[in-house]
Amino acid sequence: MINFKKQGDKHILTIEKEEVLVDAEKVSENHFLAIVNYLDKEDTFQEAELFYHPEEHEVNNFLESIKEGIQYKYKLTEDLFN
């Protein structure tokens, strides 16, 4: 499960109970974010890979190059973290 929240001036992304601080500049510039969650053979979360880019097609290319895991794509906006 992926959640977005804002605490004060910090933008926080939570992936499977692990919190990741998101660069506020990437949010203000409305970058795209790709997330790939890797699972083990029992479908238990192992790790996540994040990729940011200002152009959506670059994020799409990144996701297409990864053939495993559960993939997500978001456009970073202030509203996403509210």
Side-chain angles (χ1 to χ4, degrees):
M1 175 179 272
I2 297 174
N3 292 305
F4 298 87
K5 67 181 176 182
K6 190 168 181 181
Q7 288 182 328
D9 62 346
K10 295 180 182 178
H11 297 81
I12 300 170
L13 165 69
T14 305
I15 304 171
E16 299 293 329
K17 300 179 185 175
E18 298 291 327
E19 290 190 345
V20 177
L21 189 62
V22 177
D23 184 345
E25 188 174 323
K26 288 181 177 28
V27 176
S28 69
E29 294 174 354
N30 297 109
H31 279 223
F32 288 87
L33 168 64
I35 301 170
V36 179
N37 284 354
Y38 295 101
L39 309 175
D40 64 13
K41 292 178 183 176
E42 289 80 37
D43 288 335
T44 302
F45 174 77
Q46 296 297 301
E47 67 177 326
E49 182 174 0
L50 281 66
F51 176 78
Y52 301 92
H53 201 280
E55 297 179 30
E56 185 174 17
H57 74 273
E58 292 295 336
V59 170
N60 291 340
N61 290 342
F62 169 78
L63 289 172
E64 288 173 12
S65 72
I66 306 289
K67 302 297 182 204
E68 57 188 296
I70 300 171
Q71 301 180 356
Y72 303 91
K73 180 177 75 174
Y74 298 94
K75 183 170 185 176
L76 297 176
T77 64
E78 286 293 334
D79 288 342
L80 187 62
F81 290 88
N82 292 328

